[in-house]
Amino acid sequence: MNNFSYKKAHNVDDTVSLLTENPGNKIIAGGTNLVDLLKYFVTEADTIIDINPTAAMRDVMKIDNNGLRIGALLTNAETAYHPEIEKNYPLLSKAILAGASAQIRNMATNGGNLLQKTRCYYFYDPVTPCNKREPGSGCSAMKGYNRIHAILGHSDQCIAVFPSDMCVALAALEAVINISGPEGDRKIDFKDFHRLPGNTPEIDNNLKNNEVITGIDLPEKGFPDNYSYLKLRDRNSYSFALVSVATAFKIENNIITEARIALGGVSHKPWRVIDAEEFLKEKEPNKENFGKAADIILNGAVGFEHNSFKVSLAKKAIIRNCVMALYPESQRPGAKPSL
């Protein structure tokens, strides 16, 4: 870990000002990802800017569209267990609680969750080539051990996946991100925030230089009646997803009137295909239709030597999770869905 200075920011303007002082300055909140990056010499910092004193970024408040704004500094645990989230956005709560461990969720913040780096083995190993860490050096995962890597949206530059569980639910809920920077405040739809690797895998998102995430807006529609989050992984806790699925339905008279399906663990960003959701509209919620929607979502999926199994695993996960969404009681610990 390199030497660095430490400063506190007491409000959003302080944060932006300190970021603007030096491109080598970096923000810390919970530190659950940044500290690892520093320890492994994956990144360096001239000054660490502690934004925890910024109380305004810890709020939970109603907003004009009858939705809910959750502060970027609210911890993942505080968000998951907040009464408004549990009641009106249970999909988000379940997704958050599927991530990491209780200890990490108590420290990790919402803003940090959106900005976390891939957990690719080669990205964290500075002696191996990695285009995300050192553009133009190559992608070691292509011909290396790639069991956890992407099957959708990858390029010949990078096959890493975005590791967040929370963000899969936010993609399905069509959240909006609030951002502040030197040019003022702006909003960005969640679908437009994270990027596919293309030829610039080192650029993870569309946050501009010296900008900071201040909050996340959830729309009024939280799908509290028919939802499910399924995470398939090598062990039941503290493990990243091989495949995860966030599903939400609005169902009237046994007909789907609205559908949301987002995948995690399969791409450089949460993966959502609107055509699949449109296909399910005005159809009965059954396994046959869910399977056809899964085929649309996975169109073009390509695996590598060690992760080709993810394609069939993802299809089964989508079908299973759509069925689980029909039975919200299946979300209780130990419950089994009706299949």
Side-chain angles (χ1 to χ4, degrees):
M1 183 183 293
N2 68 296
N3 293 327
F4 54 82
S5 301
Y6 171 85
K7 293 182 180 180
K8 286 187 177 182
H10 295 275
N11 53 54
V12 175
D13 289 341
D14 278 354
T15 303
V16 172
S17 178
L18 289 170
L19 283 173
T20 306
E21 284 182 1
N22 186 334
N25 293 351
K26 289 183 170 56
I27 288 174
I28 193 168
T32 56
N33 190 199
L34 178 62
V35 172
D36 283 344
L37 295 171
L38 291 168
K39 287 193 300 184
Y40 288 109
F41 295 96
V42 177
T43 192
E44 295 182 350
D46 294 326
T47 298
I48 295 294
I49 304 166
D50 184 352
I51 62 172
N52 283 290
T54 311
M57 292 166 62
R58 296 186 182 277
D59 292 339
V60 176
M61 66 179 72
K62 290 286 186 180
I63 51 179
D64 290 343
N65 65 353
N66 293 320
L68 194 70
R69 178 170 298 164
I70 53 177
L73 278 179
L74 208 65
T75 69
N76 288 174
E78 290 169 335
T79 304
Y81 291 119
H82 193 282
E84 288 282 347
I85 300 296
E86 289 185 311
K87 178 183 177 181
N88 297 314
Y89 305 93
L91 175 61
L92 178 58
S93 179
K94 297 299 180 184
I96 292 172
L97 293 175
S101 65
Q103 294 89 342
I104 290 176
R105 293 192 298 267
N106 285 337
M107 290 296 296
T109 61
N110 294 335
N113 193 296
L114 272 62
L115 296 172
Q116 65 182 298
K117 296 291 188 180
T118 179
R119 264 47 175 198
C120 173
Y121 324 116
Y122 303 102
F123 175 73
Y124 273 84
D125 184 357
V127 303
T128 62
C130 171
N131 286 323
K132 285 184 70 66
R133 183 171 19 83
E134 186 180 350
S137 62
C139 176
S140 296
M142 286 279 188
K143 296 183 179 179
Y145 186 59
N146 44 42
R147 186 169 185 271
I148 66 171
H149 289 73
I151 57 172
L152 289 161
H154 48 63
S155 72
D156 60 2
Q157 298 293 306
C158 181
I159 61 172
V161 299
F162 186 64
S164 171
D165 291 285
M166 177 181 181
C167 287
V168 183
L170 290 175
L173 292 170
E174 296 186 345
V176 175
I177 303 172
N178 295 282
I179 296 168
S180 291
E183 299 176 5
D185 299 338
R186 69 183 180 109
K187 295 178 181 290
I188 184 169
D189 291 341
F190 198 86
K191 65 182 177 63
D192 298 322
F193 183 72
H194 295 102
R195 296 165 53 106
L196 293 178
N199 292 321
T200 55
E202 72 277 11
I203 306 176
D204 292 315
N205 56 64
N206 288 313
L207 201 66
K208 297 178 182 178
N209 290 338
N210 307 321
E211 286 188 326
V212 58
I213 296 172
T214 58
I216 303 165
D217 289 353
L218 303 174
E220 180 181 12
K221 195 177 297 180
F223 299 92
D225 297 323
N226 293 106
Y227 68 91
S228 181
Y229 187 75
L230 176 65
K231 182 177 183 179
L232 303 180
R233 45 188 163 173
D234 287 324
R235 57 179 185 267
N236 286 332
S237 65
Y238 196 46
S239 184
F240 297 107
L242 292 170
V243 175
S244 62
V245 189
T247 302
F249 293 134
K250 183 177 180 182
I251 299 174
E252 297 177 357
N253 300 318
N254 200 39
I255 295 295
I256 299 170
T257 60
E258 190 164 2
R260 305 278 181 84
I261 303 172
L263 271 62
V266 298
S267 182
H268 206 256
K269 62 183 289 185
W271 191 261
R272 186 177 168 209
V273 178
I274 302 300
D275 286 348
E277 299 172 2
E278 291 295 327
F279 167 81
L280 287 172
K281 282 187 179 180
E282 309 305 324
K283 291 185 173 62
E284 293 184 9
N286 57 46
K287 292 175 72 174
E288 180 181 359
N289 287 328
F290 297 152
K292 291 179 179 178
D295 287 337
I296 296 172
I297 293 170
L298 296 169
N299 182 39
V302 176
F304 296 85
E305 181 180 359
H306 303 287
N307 74 342
S308 293
F309 72 93
K310 276 194 177 189
V311 180
S312 60
L313 181 66
K315 180 172 181 177
K316 293 174 183 177
I318 292 167
I319 296 171
R320 177 184 171 191
N321 200 51
C322 286
V323 173
M324 291 172 67
L326 306 180
Y327 307 94
E329 63 273 13
S330 69
Q331 299 297 291
R332 300 191 187 103
K336 295 181 179 179
S338 300
L339 296 176

